[in-house]
Amino acid sequence: MSATEPWWKSAVVYQIYPRSFCDMTGNGIGDLEGIRRHLDHLQWLGVDAIWISPFFRSPMKDYGYDVSDYCDVDPLFGTLADFDRLLADAHARGLRVVIDWVPNHTSDRHPWFVASRSSRRSAKRDWYIWRDGTPDRPPNNWKGAFIDGPAWTWDHASGQWYLHFFLPEQPDLNWANPEVVAAMHATLRFWLDRGVDGFRMDVIHGLGKPAGLPDHPPELAAVWRCVVNDEPITHDYVRGIRSVIDEYPDRLMLGEVFLLDTARVAPYYGSGDELQLAFNFPPLFAPWNARAWRRAVDSVVSELDPRDAWPTWVLSNHDQPRHRTRYGTEARARAAAVLLLTLRGTPFLYAGEELGLEDAVVPEVRRLDPGGRDGCRAPIPWDAGATHGWAGDRAWLPWPPEAERRNVETLARERTSILHLYRRLLTARRRSSALRLGAWRPIASPDGVLAYARERAEDRRIVLVNFASSPVDARLEGELTVEAASDGAGEGERFRDRLGPDQAVLLRPAIG
Ligand code: GLC
């Protein structure tokens, strides 16, 4: 590890969706204690940090992304004492803990919104975004996410509209109000003082709203407001948040910038005074195709390098179908793991991808999420038993396919499993400063193959990813040894200039 580089540059971060990780109480919903009990797995796997999706008090209309108290744990997940215990145990194992922070909106049950809604004269009225009008016509044509309708709800009692980029139960805070800024900064300090290592900041690009809240042009009328909102004033708010983070040593500020264009994500790094890391989703949406991936990587290089901004890579999370499901086969999911863990930047794993999990098939009667995201949120199977290591006999969502085999205990016993592949790749990263921090350089390669070198001082690695479903010859200069192969083939042996279908390899110069 480099002493001069911040920890989050060389870290591999593992996302935990707490409802789905492990239930210790028997109510079918994962909890903080379930995370603590499985720190062994994370340590064995070799990740450096966990990011836990929201576990704060919430009416759960958006499963925790509707917060009613930023400074407490929802009883479904445990207590503040449970959190402190989890944090202490994680730290004792050298694992950092990043938590979610939801600054764009609160729950409609948050006391701030309850007060704001109570009267036009409430001292908190201006903490949210209210507009005059008539009940038949919202103030503008913006669309809310996950709902088939306007980003506005009419409040009968006080006779005004309020803005919500997401559900009506998630009113947007008014960051133009300094009292809101101060109150939200205080919620950060609450957790920083408890010792968390950083925050993943939800919809950070949403904070600033355009003056006058103008209509979308007709061609954008059907597009959710939250995926295009990109206002200069937001950068002031982000810098203000960064100054709070910088009051504490070594903390991470990672933002979810859900703008599907890397050129629009890059400015959120500022000049080293905004986000330290930003999610960049275009690669997640790229198909399993060498050219598409090359384009995605090139735009990261061209947009981020000039700013000295450190990239992030993510293939799965709690909002999108898992990449195993999107790409269709385990062979591709394995090759994708090689790609994800060898590109230049900080990789994010989503719990269960190390098991090669597919999305659960959720029958209509069990569907819960208004955004249709239940499949990727299926519970994590820990063993082959009927309840897969969960305390209750029925988890909140159905199990993912093949849980009797794709569970931690079974795959840990199979040396050839995808789980062991992830573990080998994480070991390889730890051993190579080129993989963790080195430069990235594309290498000429046959059609269908993405090839690159990672280099730092004397340390060097080469990665070849065959996106094609047929074998391909790939001749490289010099003697190279297979350090890891997506299908495990030939590891520790000389590379024989040939890739199997959907196969990826990590190569190192042969010694001697
Ligand atoms: C982010 C979260 C998503 C949530 C939304 C609203 O995109 O990842 O799960 O629904 O914000 O908070």
Side-chain angles (χ1 to χ4, degrees), residues 14-44:
Y14 182 99
Q15 182 195 353
I16 293 175
Y17 193 68
R19 289 182 85 86
S20 303
F21 202 61
C22 188
D23 170 24
M24 297 306 297
T25 63
N27 65 357
I29 294 173
D31 40 51
L32 295 179
E33 183 60 9
I35 300 175
R36 195 178 72 85
R37 294 289 185 95
H38 288 294
L39 291 175
D40 273 349
H41 169 63
L42 303 177
Q43 205 176 10
W44 174 85

mmCIF file of all heavy atoms in Angstrom, residues 14-44:
data_model
loop_
_atom_site.group_PDB
_atom_site.id
_atom_site.type_symbol
_atom_site.label_atom_id
_atom_site.label_comp_id
_atom_site.label_asym_id
_atom_site.label_seq_id
_atom_site.Cartn_x
_atom_site.Cartn_y
_atom_site.Cartn_z
ATOM 1 N N TYR A 14 -17.288 -3.204 -0.967
ATOM 2 C CA TYR A 14 -18.320 -4.239 -1.090
ATOM 3 C C TYR A 14 -19.634 -3.647 -0.605
ATOM 4 O O TYR A 14 -19.756 -3.246 0.561
ATOM 5 C CB TYR A 14 -17.878 -5.415 -0.235
ATOM 6 C CG TYR A 14 -18.755 -6.645 -0.226
ATOM 7 C CD1 TYR A 14 -18.434 -7.742 -1.025
ATOM 8 C CD2 TYR A 14 -19.848 -6.738 0.630
ATOM 9 C CE1 TYR A 14 -19.212 -8.902 -0.981
ATOM 10 C CE2 TYR A 14 -20.623 -7.892 0.670
ATOM 11 C CZ TYR A 14 -20.293 -8.971 -0.130
ATOM 12 O OH TYR A 14 -21.047 -10.124 -0.079
ATOM 13 N N GLN A 15 -20.626 -3.562 -1.488
ATOM 14 C CA GLN A 15 -21.909 -2.970 -1.111
ATOM 15 C C GLN A 15 -22.817 -3.986 -0.448
ATOM 16 O O GLN A 15 -23.072 -5.069 -0.988
ATOM 17 C CB GLN A 15 -22.640 -2.388 -2.328
ATOM 18 C CG GLN A 15 -23.962 -1.714 -1.919
ATOM 19 C CD GLN A 15 -24.918 -1.438 -3.054
ATOM 20 O OE1 GLN A 15 -24.574 -1.619 -4.227
ATOM 21 N NE2 GLN A 15 -26.128 -1.014 -2.715
ATOM 22 N N ILE A 16 -23.357 -3.591 0.701
ATOM 23 C CA ILE A 16 -24.326 -4.424 1.418
ATOM 24 C C ILE A 16 -25.679 -3.724 1.422
ATOM 25 O O ILE A 16 -25.783 -2.575 1.874
ATOM 26 C CB ILE A 16 -23.843 -4.669 2.865
ATOM 27 C CG1 ILE A 16 -22.572 -5.528 2.845
ATOM 28 C CG2 ILE A 16 -24.946 -5.331 3.698
ATOM 29 C CD1 ILE A 16 -21.939 -5.737 4.207
ATOM 30 N N TYR A 17 -26.685 -4.419 0.932
ATOM 31 C CA TYR A 17 -28.057 -3.926 1.025
ATOM 32 C C TYR A 17 -28.620 -4.594 2.280
ATOM 33 O O TYR A 17 -28.869 -5.801 2.283
ATOM 34 C CB TYR A 17 -28.814 -4.341 -0.243
ATOM 35 C CG TYR A 17 -30.132 -3.648 -0.420
ATOM 36 C CD1 TYR A 17 -30.189 -2.281 -0.695
ATOM 37 C CD2 TYR A 17 -31.332 -4.343 -0.318
ATOM 38 C CE1 TYR A 17 -31.398 -1.638 -0.864
ATOM 39 C CE2 TYR A 17 -32.548 -3.701 -0.489
ATOM 40 C CZ TYR A 17 -32.577 -2.351 -0.758
ATOM 41 O OH TYR A 17 -33.778 -1.712 -0.922
ATOM 42 N N PRO A 18 -28.748 -3.845 3.378
ATOM 43 C CA PRO A 18 -28.904 -4.511 4.682
ATOM 44 C C PRO A 18 -30.145 -5.411 4.787
ATOM 45 O O PRO A 18 -30.075 -6.449 5.447
ATOM 46 C CB PRO A 18 -28.968 -3.352 5.682
ATOM 47 C CG PRO A 18 -29.209 -2.125 4.886
ATOM 48 C CD PRO A 18 -28.702 -2.393 3.505
ATOM 49 N N ARG A 19 -31.236 -5.048 4.126
ATOM 50 C CA ARG A 19 -32.439 -5.902 4.193
ATOM 51 C C ARG A 19 -32.162 -7.298 3.668
ATOM 52 O O ARG A 19 -32.879 -8.237 3.995
ATOM 53 C CB ARG A 19 -33.553 -5.326 3.298
ATOM 54 C CG ARG A 19 -34.193 -4.093 3.770
ATOM 55 C CD ARG A 19 -35.297 -3.706 2.784
ATOM 56 N NE ARG A 19 -36.545 -4.386 3.085
ATOM 57 C CZ ARG A 19 -37.439 -3.952 3.944
ATOM 58 N NH1 ARG A 19 -37.220 -2.855 4.629
ATOM 59 N NH2 ARG A 19 -38.563 -4.619 4.142
ATOM 60 N N SER A 20 -31.182 -7.419 2.784
ATOM 61 C CA SER A 20 -31.007 -8.660 2.030
ATOM 62 C C SER A 20 -29.768 -9.444 2.412
ATOM 63 O O SER A 20 -29.486 -10.464 1.805
ATOM 64 C CB SER A 20 -30.939 -8.325 0.528
ATOM 65 O OG SER A 20 -32.096 -7.633 0.155
ATOM 66 N N PHE A 21 -29.027 -8.988 3.425
ATOM 67 C CA PHE A 21 -27.737 -9.634 3.700
ATOM 68 C C PHE A 21 -27.908 -10.841 4.615
ATOM 69 O O PHE A 21 -27.594 -11.961 4.233
ATOM 70 C CB PHE A 21 -26.766 -8.616 4.297
ATOM 71 C CG PHE A 21 -25.324 -9.006 4.129
ATOM 72 C CD1 PHE A 21 -24.783 -9.158 2.867
ATOM 73 C CD2 PHE A 21 -24.514 -9.212 5.216
ATOM 74 C CE1 PHE A 21 -23.447 -9.518 2.696
ATOM 75 C CE2 PHE A 21 -23.179 -9.572 5.067
ATOM 76 C CZ PHE A 21 -22.651 -9.727 3.802
ATOM 77 N N CYS A 22 -28.427 -10.632 5.808
ATOM 78 C CA CYS A 22 -28.709 -11.781 6.683
ATOM 79 C C CYS A 22 -29.574 -11.353 7.865
ATOM 80 O O CYS A 22 -29.283 -10.355 8.533
ATOM 81 C CB CYS A 22 -27.402 -12.381 7.201
ATOM 82 S SG CYS A 22 -27.723 -13.920 8.094
ATOM 83 N N ASP A 23 -30.619 -12.112 8.099
ATOM 84 C CA ASP A 23 -31.567 -11.825 9.176
ATOM 85 C C ASP A 23 -31.203 -12.634 10.417
ATOM 86 O O ASP A 23 -31.128 -13.859 10.355
ATOM 87 C CB ASP A 23 -32.977 -12.182 8.687
ATOM 88 C CG ASP A 23 -34.010 -12.159 9.802
ATOM 89 O OD1 ASP A 23 -33.788 -11.461 10.799
ATOM 90 O OD2 ASP A 23 -35.042 -12.842 9.647
ATOM 91 N N MET A 24 -30.996 -11.950 11.537
ATOM 92 C CA MET A 24 -30.684 -12.653 12.782
ATOM 93 C C MET A 24 -31.872 -12.698 13.738
ATOM 94 O O MET A 24 -31.804 -13.335 14.783
ATOM 95 C CB MET A 24 -29.513 -11.960 13.506
ATOM 96 C CG MET A 24 -28.200 -11.963 12.755
ATOM 97 S SD MET A 24 -27.633 -13.589 12.228
ATOM 98 C CE MET A 24 -27.410 -14.367 13.818
ATOM 99 N N THR A 25 -32.967 -11.996 13.422
ATOM 100 C CA THR A 25 -34.072 -11.928 14.393
ATOM 101 C C THR A 25 -35.259 -12.803 14.007
ATOM 102 O O THR A 25 -36.129 -13.058 14.834
ATOM 103 C CB THR A 25 -34.594 -10.480 14.551
ATOM 104 O OG1 THR A 25 -35.125 -10.069 13.284
ATOM 105 C CG2 THR A 25 -33.499 -9.538 15.003
ATOM 106 N N GLY A 26 -35.313 -13.220 12.750
ATOM 107 C CA GLY A 26 -36.414 -14.089 12.340
ATOM 108 C C GLY A 26 -37.598 -13.349 11.730
ATOM 109 O O GLY A 26 -38.642 -13.942 11.483
ATOM 110 N N ASN A 27 -37.434 -12.040 11.457
ATOM 111 C CA ASN A 27 -38.551 -11.306 10.837
ATOM 112 C C ASN A 27 -38.455 -11.294 9.307
ATOM 113 O O ASN A 27 -39.238 -10.630 8.634
ATOM 114 C CB ASN A 27 -38.635 -9.883 11.394
ATOM 115 C CG ASN A 27 -37.405 -9.053 11.018
ATOM 116 O OD1 ASN A 27 -36.465 -9.561 10.400
ATOM 117 N ND2 ASN A 27 -37.405 -7.787 11.387
ATOM 118 N N GLY A 28 -37.467 -12.004 8.769
ATOM 119 C CA GLY A 28 -37.362 -12.095 7.307
ATOM 120 C C GLY A 28 -36.591 -10.950 6.673
ATOM 121 O O GLY A 28 -36.427 -10.900 5.452
ATOM 122 N N ILE A 29 -36.116 -10.018 7.506
ATOM 123 C CA ILE A 29 -35.411 -8.846 6.989
ATOM 124 C C ILE A 29 -34.002 -8.807 7.583
ATOM 125 O O ILE A 29 -33.831 -8.935 8.802
ATOM 126 C CB ILE A 29 -36.198 -7.564 7.349
ATOM 127 C CG1 ILE A 29 -37.537 -7.582 6.603
ATOM 128 C CG2 ILE A 29 -35.409 -6.301 7.016
ATOM 129 C CD1 ILE A 29 -38.478 -6.481 6.987
ATOM 130 N N GLY A 30 -33.030 -8.647 6.722
ATOM 131 C CA GLY A 30 -31.637 -8.593 7.166
ATOM 132 C C GLY A 30 -31.426 -7.442 8.154
ATOM 133 O O GLY A 30 -32.191 -6.483 8.180
ATOM 134 N N ASP A 31 -30.382 -7.536 8.973
ATOM 135 C CA ASP A 31 -30.157 -6.514 9.999
ATOM 136 C C ASP A 31 -28.657 -6.300 10.225
ATOM 137 O O ASP A 31 -27.821 -7.000 9.655
ATOM 138 C CB ASP A 31 -30.867 -6.915 11.300
ATOM 139 C CG ASP A 31 -30.734 -8.406 11.583
ATOM 140 O OD1 ASP A 31 -29.588 -8.893 11.546
ATOM 141 O OD2 ASP A 31 -31.767 -9.087 11.792
ATOM 142 N N LEU A 32 -28.343 -5.320 11.075
ATOM 143 C CA LEU A 32 -26.933 -4.969 11.316
ATOM 144 C C LEU A 32 -26.178 -6.127 11.953
ATOM 145 O O LEU A 32 -25.013 -6.387 11.625
ATOM 146 C CB LEU A 32 -26.825 -3.719 12.204
ATOM 147 C CG LEU A 32 -27.362 -2.427 11.587
ATOM 148 C CD1 LEU A 32 -27.229 -1.269 12.573
ATOM 149 C CD2 LEU A 32 -26.629 -2.081 10.284
ATOM 150 N N GLU A 33 -26.841 -6.845 12.849
ATOM 151 C CA GLU A 33 -26.183 -7.980 13.489
ATOM 152 C C GLU A 33 -25.865 -9.055 12.436
ATOM 153 O O GLU A 33 -24.824 -9.720 12.512
ATOM 154 C CB GLU A 33 -27.092 -8.526 14.606
ATOM 155 C CG GLU A 33 -26.517 -9.668 15.417
ATOM 156 C CD GLU A 33 -25.201 -9.355 16.163
ATOM 157 O OE1 GLU A 33 -24.782 -8.185 16.204
ATOM 158 O OE2 GLU A 33 -24.597 -10.310 16.673
ATOM 159 N N GLY A 34 -26.729 -9.201 11.447
ATOM 160 C CA GLY A 34 -26.476 -10.148 10.358
ATOM 161 C C GLY A 34 -25.226 -9.778 9.568
ATOM 162 O O GLY A 34 -24.506 -10.649 9.074
ATOM 163 N N ILE A 35 -24.964 -8.499 9.465
ATOM 164 C CA ILE A 35 -23.734 -8.056 8.784
ATOM 165 C C ILE A 35 -22.529 -8.399 9.662
ATOM 166 O O ILE A 35 -21.539 -8.975 9.210
ATOM 167 C CB ILE A 35 -23.770 -6.534 8.492
ATOM 168 C CG1 ILE A 35 -24.957 -6.191 7.596
ATOM 169 C CG2 ILE A 35 -22.455 -6.085 7.860
ATOM 170 C CD1 ILE A 35 -25.152 -4.700 7.354
ATOM 171 N N ARG A 36 -22.650 -8.057 10.946
ATOM 172 C CA ARG A 36 -21.515 -8.282 11.864
ATOM 173 C C ARG A 36 -21.136 -9.762 11.892
ATOM 174 O O ARG A 36 -19.965 -10.111 11.879
ATOM 175 C CB ARG A 36 -21.879 -7.795 13.268
ATOM 176 C CG ARG A 36 -20.682 -7.634 14.190
ATOM 177 C CD ARG A 36 -21.105 -7.103 15.551
ATOM 178 N NE ARG A 36 -21.817 -8.103 16.314
ATOM 179 C CZ ARG A 36 -21.246 -9.032 17.076
ATOM 180 N NH1 ARG A 36 -19.927 -9.073 17.170
ATOM 181 N NH2 ARG A 36 -21.975 -9.906 17.737
ATOM 182 N N ARG A 37 -22.147 -10.633 11.895
ATOM 183 C CA ARG A 37 -21.874 -12.070 11.975
ATOM 184 C C ARG A 37 -21.175 -12.614 10.728
ATOM 185 O O ARG A 37 -20.660 -13.715 10.737
ATOM 186 C CB ARG A 37 -23.182 -12.856 12.162
ATOM 187 C CG ARG A 37 -23.865 -12.594 13.459
ATOM 188 C CD ARG A 37 -23.111 -13.210 14.638
ATOM 189 N NE ARG A 37 -23.894 -13.014 15.844
ATOM 190 C CZ ARG A 37 -24.739 -13.917 16.337
ATOM 191 N NH1 ARG A 37 -24.878 -15.088 15.747
ATOM 192 N NH2 ARG A 37 -25.438 -13.648 17.408
ATOM 193 N N HIS A 38 -21.223 -11.856 9.649
ATOM 194 C CA HIS A 38 -20.621 -12.359 8.411
ATOM 195 C C HIS A 38 -19.390 -11.568 7.983
ATOM 196 O O HIS A 38 -18.957 -11.653 6.829
ATOM 197 C CB HIS A 38 -21.662 -12.417 7.299
ATOM 198 C CG HIS A 38 -22.654 -13.523 7.504
ATOM 199 N ND1 HIS A 38 -22.288 -14.852 7.458
ATOM 200 C CD2 HIS A 38 -23.964 -13.491 7.821
ATOM 201 C CE1 HIS A 38 -23.354 -15.601 7.712
ATOM 202 N NE2 HIS A 38 -24.383 -14.808 7.945
ATOM 203 N N LEU A 39 -18.812 -10.831 8.922
ATOM 204 C CA LEU A 39 -17.570 -10.110 8.587
ATOM 205 C C LEU A 39 -16.460 -11.091 8.218
ATOM 206 O O LEU A 39 -15.576 -10.775 7.421
ATOM 207 C CB LEU A 39 -17.137 -9.211 9.753
ATOM 208 C CG LEU A 39 -18.049 -8.010 10.019
ATOM 209 C CD1 LEU A 39 -17.583 -7.264 11.271
ATOM 210 C CD2 LEU A 39 -18.086 -7.057 8.819
ATOM 211 N N ASP A 40 -16.533 -12.288 8.789
ATOM 212 C CA ASP A 40 -15.566 -13.340 8.438
ATOM 213 C C ASP A 40 -15.485 -13.561 6.929
ATOM 214 O O ASP A 40 -14.411 -13.698 6.372
ATOM 215 C CB ASP A 40 -16.040 -14.702 9.005
ATOM 216 C CG ASP A 40 -15.566 -14.884 10.426
ATOM 217 O OD1 ASP A 40 -14.737 -14.085 10.869
ATOM 218 O OD2 ASP A 40 -16.061 -15.838 11.065
ATOM 219 N N HIS A 41 -16.673 -13.663 6.328
ATOM 220 C CA HIS A 41 -16.738 -13.907 4.883
ATOM 221 C C HIS A 41 -16.029 -12.782 4.118
ATOM 222 O O HIS A 41 -15.262 -13.037 3.189
ATOM 223 C CB HIS A 41 -18.206 -14.005 4.448
ATOM 224 C CG HIS A 41 -18.404 -13.993 2.961
ATOM 225 N ND1 HIS A 41 -17.910 -14.988 2.136
ATOM 226 C CD2 HIS A 41 -19.016 -13.102 2.132
ATOM 227 C CE1 HIS A 41 -18.223 -14.710 0.875
ATOM 228 N NE2 HIS A 41 -18.886 -13.576 0.843
ATOM 229 N N LEU A 42 -16.272 -11.550 4.555
ATOM 230 C CA LEU A 42 -15.713 -10.405 3.828
ATOM 231 C C LEU A 42 -14.198 -10.343 3.985
ATOM 232 O O LEU A 42 -13.476 -10.004 3.052
ATOM 233 C CB LEU A 42 -16.364 -9.108 4.317
ATOM 234 C CG LEU A 42 -17.889 -9.126 4.179
ATOM 235 C CD1 LEU A 42 -18.499 -7.855 4.739
ATOM 236 C CD2 LEU A 42 -18.276 -9.286 2.706
ATOM 237 N N GLN A 43 -13.759 -10.705 5.167
ATOM 238 C CA GLN A 43 -12.322 -10.713 5.415
ATOM 239 C C GLN A 43 -11.655 -11.831 4.607
ATOM 240 O O GLN A 43 -10.607 -11.653 4.006
ATOM 241 C CB GLN A 43 -12.082 -10.922 6.907
ATOM 242 C CG GLN A 43 -10.776 -10.371 7.354
ATOM 243 C CD GLN A 43 -10.608 -10.506 8.861
ATOM 244 O OE1 GLN A 43 -11.397 -11.173 9.539
ATOM 245 N NE2 GLN A 43 -9.578 -9.877 9.378
ATOM 246 N N TRP A 44 -12.285 -12.985 4.586
ATOM 247 C CA TRP A 44 -11.763 -14.129 3.827
ATOM 248 C C TRP A 44 -11.709 -13.791 2.335
ATOM 249 O O TRP A 44 -10.730 -14.085 1.635
ATOM 250 C CB TRP A 44 -12.668 -15.349 4.080
ATOM 251 C CG TRP A 44 -12.340 -16.554 3.255
ATOM 252 C CD1 TRP A 44 -11.414 -17.513 3.540
ATOM 253 C CD2 TRP A 44 -12.947 -16.929 2.009
ATOM 254 N NE1 TRP A 44 -11.402 -18.468 2.548
ATOM 255 C CE2 TRP A 44 -12.329 -18.125 1.596
ATOM 256 C CE3 TRP A 44 -13.949 -16.363 1.200
ATOM 257 C CZ2 TRP A 44 -12.683 -18.789 0.402
ATOM 258 C CZ3 TRP A 44 -14.299 -17.010 0.023
ATOM 259 C CH2 TRP A 44 -13.656 -18.220 -0.359
#
